[in-house]
Amino acid sequence: MIKNELRRNLKKLRDDIPSDKRKIEEELIAKTLLNSEIYINAKSLFIYNSFRSEVDTTYIIKEALNEKIVGLPVTNSLDHSMEAYEINEDSVFVQDSYGIQIPDTKTSNIINPKEIDLTIVPLLAYDNLGNRLGYGGGYYDRYLPRLREDAIVVGIAYSNQFVEELTVEDFDKKLDYVVTVKYEEDRAFGEMKKF
């Protein structure tokens, strides 16, 4: 299956998660991440502002603002580049060309990628090797190599976003961890997988 068709199918799968199940999984994902050592030890967090059917990051951002330097992505669709702009509780937001709420670049400062400890990335799917399927814009594939070598990259994913194997390109960047949800005997658990 070609990547664009796979993306369409996976996006529909994510869009179709029932709202009650989505809420349960989002709470477990947020709780698992916020209680993890990698989150607790991070002084700075670069995280996406959730959009449409992505795992909701609102609660994670709200919690992180109390104790960490927090950055949100601002993309440039002309050259597919991205920067992390620092936010706080007084930040002004504007809507970008995709309809995503982003920090106003006139009133917010860029965070040096080398100063980011933990990055949370959106995804359509991940596999057992930590490969990630994004949306095809290449923003994160260009940005992630600019981080420090010891910076940690985490994907957050609903339980139905795992695939056995993804076809990857040389420039695709792997995840260090994924935070997701697993089910055992009809009970849901937050799970952090290390790659």
Side-chain angles (χ1 to χ4, degrees), residues 43-61:
K43 291 185 176 65
S44 54
L45 175 71
F46 179 35
I47 185 169
Y48 67 94
N49 207 2
S50 48
F51 184 61
R52 294 191 176 140
S53 65
E54 292 174 337
V55 173
D56 191 352
T57 56
T58 311
Y59 181 70
I60 299 167
I61 292 168

Side-chain angles (χ1 to χ4, degrees), residues 12-187:
K12 182 171 183 348
L13 202 62
R14 192 180 69 185
D15 290 346
D16 290 346
I17 299 169
S19 59
D20 54 342
K21 184 176 184 179
R22 183 183 297 278
K23 191 173 187 319
I24 289 165
E25 292 202 3
E26 286 174 344
E27 282 177 13
L28 285 168
I29 289 165
K31 191 170 147 191
T32 303
L33 177 70
L34 294 172
N35 289 322
S36 71
E37 214 172 282
I38 57 170
Y39 172 83
I40 292 164
N41 293 337
K43 291 185 176 65
S44 54
L45 175 71
F46 179 35
I47 185 169
Y48 67 94
N49 207 2
S50 48
F51 184 61
R52 294 191 176 140
S53 65
E54 292 174 337
V55 173
D56 191 352
T57 56
T58 311
Y59 181 70
I60 299 167
I61 292 168
K62 188 173 163 240
E63 289 297 301
L65 281 171
N66 295 324
E67 53 199 18
K68 301 186 190 302
I69 295 165
V70 179
L72 292 181
V74 175
T75 59
N76 179 337
S77 55
L78 296 176
D79 63 1
H80 289 249
S81 64
M82 179 167 73
E83 295 293 348
Y85 277 81
E86 188 173 351
I87 62 161
N88 56 48
E89 285 171 359
D90 301 320
S91 288
V92 176
F93 288 84
V94 295
Q95 197 167 289
D96 73 3
S97 58
Y98 296 104
I100 301 168
Q101 290 294 310
I102 60 166
D104 183 351
T105 56
K106 295 183 192 79
T107 57
S108 179
N109 296 320
I110 291 176
I111 301 173
N112 182 335
K114 301 291 183 219
E115 291 171 9
I116 294 170
D117 298 327
L118 177 61
T119 298
I120 310 294
V121 298
L123 51 80
L124 284 169
Y126 71 94
D127 69 13
N128 263 327
L129 298 173
N131 296 309
R132 163 191 171 268
L133 181 69
Y135 302 106
Y139 293 102
Y140 283 93
D141 291 321
R142 288 178 179 84
Y143 189 83
L144 297 178
R146 297 170 60 199
L147 300 171
R148 294 191 321 270
E149 271 194 33
D150 65 339
I152 296 170
V153 179
V154 178
I156 52 178
Y158 295 108
S159 58
N160 68 351
Q161 291 187 269
F162 170 75
V163 295
E164 286 298 325
E165 190 179 356
L166 287 169
T167 307
V168 292
E169 314 287 343
D170 290 343
F171 53 78
D172 287 334
K173 297 296 165 199
K174 288 191 179 195
L175 303 168
D176 297 307
Y177 296 84
V178 73
V179 179
T180 187
V181 175
K182 68 174 181 176
Y183 289 85
E184 283 175 13
E185 297 172 1
D186 294 332
R187 286 192 61 207

